[in-house]
Amino acid sequence: MNRIRVDVLRAVLGIVAIVAAIVVGVNGYGLWDDHLVERARKEAVAAAGRAVEEMLSYTPNTVDTELQQVIDDNSISAFRDEFNRYVEEQLAPNAKEDQITNVATTQAVGVVSASRERVVALVFLNQVATIRDQSTISGSRLRVTMVSVDSRWMVEEWTPV
């Protein structure tokens, strides 16, 4: 009888040990994943604020040279192609003709959603547009989707809000 009790006790302890190991493993993975998502949030928020500022700031002299490089360095895929086309066809000619300078300054960035590879942020910014010698200040909000590409956070799309 004692032998059966010992065997049952060993079996129960073995099962408890396996369940405990599974629980620890699942919780450990959850903590690791949470850490990676939090890191993604921080990195993507910083990158979104910087990219939006750079991509919306230009002078008549830099709109078709430096701005093109900024767009290529900070965005990907269809968005990059569409934004470059907009700059070439509309923004650059207008900026040169009307002597437009635009300076964008990020005021705040909040996270809408986040995963390890994709972060959607809401970027609040002020823009000072100077047309010849007349300046106007405006506030804007952009919903910006950032994706991780080769350990760099890039703009995949943005939508005015």
Side-chain angles (χ1 to χ4, degrees), residues 2 6-8 10 19-20 26 29 35-36 40 43 48 57 66 93 95 100 102 116 123 145 156 159:
N2 285 340
V6 170
D7 289 343
V8 169
R10 283 184 184 160
V19 169
V26 168
Y29 175 79
H35 169 73
L36 292 179
E43 291 174 359
S57 297
E66 292 176 20
I100 300 171
N102 197 66
R116 285 187 268 168
V123 179
T145 301
E156 182 181 53
T159 307

Side-chain angles (χ1 to χ4, degrees), residues 116-130:
R116 285 187 268 168
E117 301 296 322
R118 176 181 305 275
V119 174
V120 178
L122 187 59
V123 179
F124 297 85
L125 63 139
N126 289 337
Q127 295 184 74
V128 179
T130 304

Side-chain angles (χ1 to χ4, degrees), residues 38-95:
E38 184 59 30
R39 190 170 94 196
R41 291 169 73 102
K42 289 178 183 177
E43 291 174 359
V45 160
R50 179 188 44 75
V52 167
E53 277 187 9
E54 291 178 2
M55 292 171 72
L56 293 176
S57 297
Y58 55 87
T59 69
N61 300 328
T62 64
V63 69
D64 58 359
T65 54
E66 292 176 20
L67 185 56
Q68 295 290 335
Q69 188 62 47
V70 167
I71 294 165
D72 291 344
D73 289 347
N74 290 290
S75 61
I76 62 166
S77 64
F79 176 81
R80 178 186 58 225
D81 298 338
E82 181 180 328
F83 200 73
N84 272 326
R85 192 170 31 261
Y86 165 72
V87 169
E88 290 170 14
E89 295 173 3
Q90 294 179 17
L91 185 65
N94 291 338

